[in-house]
Amino acid sequence: MKEFDLIRNYFTEQIVKRKDVFLGIGDDCALLTPPERQYLAVTTDTLVAGVHFPENTPAKAVGHKAVAVNLSDLAAMGAEPCWISVALTIPEADEDWVGEFCQGMFELCEYYNVQLVGGDTTQGPLSITITAQGTVPYDKQITRSGAKTGDWLYVTGEIGDAALALQHYYQQIELPEDVLALVQKQLDYPVPCVLVGQALRGYASSAIDLSDGLLADLRHLCESSNVGVNLVLDQLPISNALYDSLGAEKAIELALQGGDDYQLLFTVSEDNKVGMETALADIGETITCIGQLNLSGKITTTLNSQPTQINAKGFEHFDSDQ
Amino acid sequence: MKEFDLIRNYFTEQIVKRKDVFLGIGDDCALLTPPERQYLAVTTDTLVAGVHFPENTPAKAVGHKAVAVNLSDLAAMGAEPCWISVALTIPEADEDWVGEFCQGMFELCEYYNVQLVGGDTTQGPLSITITAQGTVPYDKQITRSGAKTGDWLYVTGEIGDAALALQHYYQQIELPEDVLALVQKQLDYPVPCVLVGQALRGYASSAIDLSDGLLADLRHLCESSNVGVNLVLDQLPISNALYDSLGAEKAIELALQGGDDYQLLFTVSEDNKVGMETALADIGETITCIGQLNLSGKITTTLNSQPTQINAKGFEHFDSDQ
């Protein structure tokens, strides 16, 4: 088939040309020159049509999201994104689709100065695997395992809107057009917290990105750090759209369970609170304190200052995340 | 689903622990420390069931092959393999299958001291995307574009056996059991030319690995280097199994067209021939000179010293290779 030659052309139409790329797409390997005295941060995520995004998702959104979910993992380590490799499996060589997919991918790459350095295109059921690489100076990395008892738990932005859009898609709820437009954008075009992640270097004691849902990812963080936490549910940053659509209780449940937020969940010691808030002030990202870590090893919750049971589990993809 | 937790356990059962892996599997990213004054070589390849390997291929072979095809790309650049990330998409969480897949993957990784640093497991039609990374000292990389007129063209090992095994699978031919066993091994367990690739540093003027078939990959090399070549078909390293099964003419045709060889095709200047042969002597890999580069920009062939038409095209996967 000659179609793949045409498709491959789209992969070379990127604007970003980084100086640390000695050889880009077109040989057996790319050749890169990573900076000295920095860790290379590497992450791989796959999106499968019908599992990680609805089948009818526009190609541009698929391209955006495939990059975004990987940059989100880099952000959670405090890394600066540099390069991505893309493995695109598509049922047929649909040039229009691939063109729009690349547009979504490249717009996000240009914004963060990320260069595509490798691409493999194969025929099969639609799925996209991206490996993203970034750099973080030695000893400035943020891991899941550094949280300490007494640290404060924060989350960026608002959570639950993407899950609300999915509920509409699965016809569990019918949203008015204006609300749907708002939340659909969160589902299709998540914005990775790249700058926040880097700003948190030296301040956050731990971080994780929210892909599987607040509760599930919080559990990963607590297990890695060997801590517990009491979540103050009243404080969860829930959008007006979500509140008004479901009412308080169900909105909180969805914010806890829903996936696809791609916000950062992070912890900060009492001593670093002011420094962290100062560092984030220029970026303009909203952050919300939603709890404090403790020795219990468990996740407990309070609502209106009363202990509350959670019988909801975080939404689990069939997905090992990283 | 809890199944992915079980599956993820298999990914952590590797023996290789490299000193340049600061943080391995289990966080949002792996953190690596690449060596100084070396290029980082990066390649990504996807294998889709039914496209790149027969559906009934044993899990262990799939794991081996997914790693091998990527190490083969690193070999073609002269790079030393270091780390891989694996994205495994499987229809269901079949622990036995994943266990055998990992066994095939890890056996090859251990042989070359390659560490798995990232894994994503998702549900969907069977496919595997691996991103492999290696290192090559500055100015020692071997690209597709360095071949010069007058250079000699070499290929490692024997070619065409994997394609013969595929012909048996597709019932285009019926092979006796002992022959099938021989060629099936080439299809299922290709051996990447990792050591040869590194030994060729400083000697080969260009190289490419044979994944799409000799003719197709030779065309890539000639286009990248802006040279032509006359192939001496009598010299093609064809196994006795292939010769005896198809006869000379059809054997040559398959050796030209067949894919999945994962041998190296490389070029060496007259001045570097002795050095290259000396460097390869210790490794014990057979190499064969199959032609000389010229200015024509075309691929011509001779058989019994007579010009011969090729009406066969190299087997093309729907595959952009790298």
Side-chain angles (χ1 to χ4, degrees), chain A residues 27 46 119-121 318-319 322, chain B residues 27 46 119-121 131 318 322:
Chain A
D27 212 304
T46 299
D120 190 20
T121 315
F318 183 75
D319 187 339
Q322 194 246 323
Chain B
D27 212 304
T46 299
D120 190 19
T121 315
T131 297
F318 182 76
Q322 194 246 321

Side-chain angles (χ1 to χ4, degrees), chain A:
Chain A
M1 291 186 231
K2 280 288 158 213
E3 294 94 334
F4 80 75
D5 287 331
L6 296 171
I7 284 179
R8 188 166 37 176
N9 287 341
Y10 286 99
F11 280 173
T12 61
E13 282 176 9
Q14 61 184 332
I15 292 169
V16 177
K17 303 281 174 212
R18 291 177 60 98
K19 285 185 179 168
D20 53 17
V21 176
F22 177 79
L23 192 66
I25 281 189
D27 212 304
D28 289 297
C29 298
L31 295 176
L32 313 173
T33 55
E36 295 185 2
R37 284 180 286 283
Q38 303 223 11
Y39 290 120
L40 191 67
V42 186
T43 185
T44 296
D45 266 307
T46 299
L47 301 185
V48 180
V51 179
H52 299 91
F53 57 88
E55 303 271 5
N56 67 349
T57 303
K60 189 178 167 186
V62 175
H64 174 101
K65 191 164 183 169
V67 174
V69 303
N70 279 281
L71 297 194
S72 182
D73 281 320
L74 290 175
M77 304 295 287
E80 179 187 335
C82 300
W83 318 291
I84 59 167
S85 304
V86 176
L88 173 63
T89 301
I90 40 178
E92 54 191 73
D94 178 341
E95 277 190 69
D96 289 343
W97 195 95
V98 174
E100 284 166 33
F101 171 84
C102 284
Q103 198 192 339
M105 201 168 59
F106 288 147
E107 278 182 13
L108 194 56
C109 284
E110 282 165 32
Y111 189 81
Y112 290 115
N113 194 33
V114 170
Q115 187 169 340
L116 179 70
V117 296
D120 190 20
T121 315
T122 51
Q123 188 168 28
L126 180 60
S127 83
I128 303 99
T129 295
I130 288 188
T131 297
Q133 305 206 67
T135 56
V136 57
Y138 287 168
D139 298 326
K140 296 291 183 190
Q141 73 280 2
I142 307 168
T143 65
R144 295 180 182 178
S145 59
K148 298 274 185 298
T149 295
D151 288 356
W152 299 97
L153 181 70
Y154 287 84
V155 64
T156 60
E158 293 176 332
I159 54 175
D161 280 3
L164 186 62
L166 270 181
Q167 286 205 334
H168 177 91
Y169 176 74
Y170 289 118
Q171 300 180 329
Q172 293 161 344
I173 191 174
E174 195 173 335
L175 297 173
E177 254 181 48
D178 56 334
V179 174
L180 179 61
L182 272 176
V183 298
Q184 189 74 39
K185 200 179 161 203
Q186 296 299 317
L187 179 65
D188 287 346
Y189 294 94
V191 178
C193 297
V194 171
L195 300 183
V196 173
Q198 291 172 65
L200 288 174
R201 291 176 184 169
Y203 298 111
S205 52
S206 74
I208 189 170
D209 80 313
L210 294 184
S211 52
D212 296 339
L214 177 62
L215 264 193
D217 290 316
L218 179 57
R219 204 173 292 128
H220 292 315
L221 190 145
C222 285
E223 283 170 8
S224 296
S225 292
N226 203 19
V227 293
V229 67
N230 184 62
L231 269 184
V232 183
L233 299 182
D234 321 63
Q235 294 299 320
L236 290 184
I238 291 173
S239 70
N240 292 336
L242 178 50
Y243 246 111
D244 295 347
S245 300
L246 296 187
E249 198 173 314
K250 287 216 174 296
I252 289 173
E253 211 174 273
L254 196 65
L256 290 171
Q257 292 181 70
D260 282 318
D261 292 309
Y262 302 105
Q263 298 296 338
L264 290 188
L265 187 70
F266 63 95
T267 59
V268 179
S269 70
E270 179 68 31
D271 287 350
N272 279 329
K273 273 181 76 169
V274 173
M276 177 275 288
E277 287 182 17
T278 310
L280 290 190
D282 288 341
I283 296 175
E285 176 68 81
T286 315
I287 56 167
T288 310
C289 185
I290 57 173
Q292 189 174 23
L293 307 189
N294 57 45
L295 284 167
S296 71
K298 291 177 189 165
I299 299 173
T300 55
T301 53
T302 53
L303 188 64
N304 298 323
S305 305
Q306 299 294 316
T308 311
Q309 282 291 341
I310 323 170
N311 50 18
K313 287 183 181 175
F315 170 70
E316 281 185 293
H317 292 299
F318 183 75
D319 187 339
S320 75
D321 190 31
Q322 194 246 323

Side-chain angles (χ1 to χ4, degrees), chain B residues 18-245:
Chain B
R18 292 177 60 98
K19 285 185 181 168
D20 53 17
V21 177
F22 178 78
L23 192 65
I25 281 189
D27 212 304
D28 289 297
C29 298
L31 294 176
L32 313 173
T33 55
E36 295 183 4
R37 283 180 287 282
Q38 303 222 12
Y39 291 120
L40 190 67
V42 185
T43 184
T44 295
D45 265 308
T46 299
L47 301 185
V48 180
V51 180
H52 299 92
F53 57 89
E55 302 269 6
N56 67 349
T57 303
K60 189 178 167 185
V62 175
H64 174 100
K65 191 163 185 170
V67 174
V69 303
N70 279 281
L71 298 194
S72 182
D73 280 320
L74 289 175
M77 305 294 289
E80 179 188 335
C82 300
W83 318 291
I84 59 167
S85 303
V86 177
L88 172 63
T89 301
I90 39 177
E92 54 192 74
D94 179 341
E95 277 190 69
D96 290 343
W97 194 95
V98 174
E100 284 166 32
F101 170 85
C102 284
Q103 197 191 339
M105 200 168 61
F106 288 148
E107 279 182 13
L108 194 57
C109 284
E110 282 164 32
Y111 190 80
Y112 290 115
N113 194 33
V114 171
Q115 186 168 340
L116 179 70
V117 295
D120 190 19
T121 315
T122 50
Q123 187 168 28
L126 180 60
S127 83
I128 303 99
T129 296
I130 288 188
T131 297
Q133 304 205 67
T135 56
V136 58
Y138 287 167
D139 298 326
K140 296 292 183 189
Q141 73 280 1
I142 308 167
T143 65
R144 295 181 182 177
S145 59
K148 297 274 186 296
T149 295
D151 288 356
W152 299 96
L153 181 70
Y154 286 85
V155 65
T156 60
E158 293 176 333
I159 54 175
D161 280 4
L164 186 62
L166 269 182
Q167 287 206 335
H168 177 91
Y169 175 76
Y170 288 118
Q171 301 181 327
Q172 293 161 344
I173 190 174
E174 195 173 335
L175 297 173
E177 253 181 49
D178 56 334
V179 174
L180 179 62
L182 272 176
V183 297
Q184 189 74 41
K185 200 180 160 200
Q186 296 299 318
L187 180 65
D188 287 346
Y189 293 94
V191 179
C193 297
V194 171
L195 299 183
V196 173
Q198 290 171 64
L200 288 175
R201 290 176 184 167
Y203 299 111
S205 52
S206 74
I208 189 171
D209 80 313
L210 295 184
S211 53
D212 296 338
L214 177 61
L215 264 193
D217 290 317
L218 178 56
R219 204 172 293 127
H220 291 313
L221 190 144
C222 286
E223 283 170 9
S224 296
S225 291
N226 202 19
V227 293
V229 67
N230 184 63
L231 269 184
V232 184
L233 299 182
D234 322 62
Q235 294 299 319
L236 290 185
I238 291 172
S239 69
N240 292 336
L242 178 51
Y243 246 110
D244 295 347
S245 300

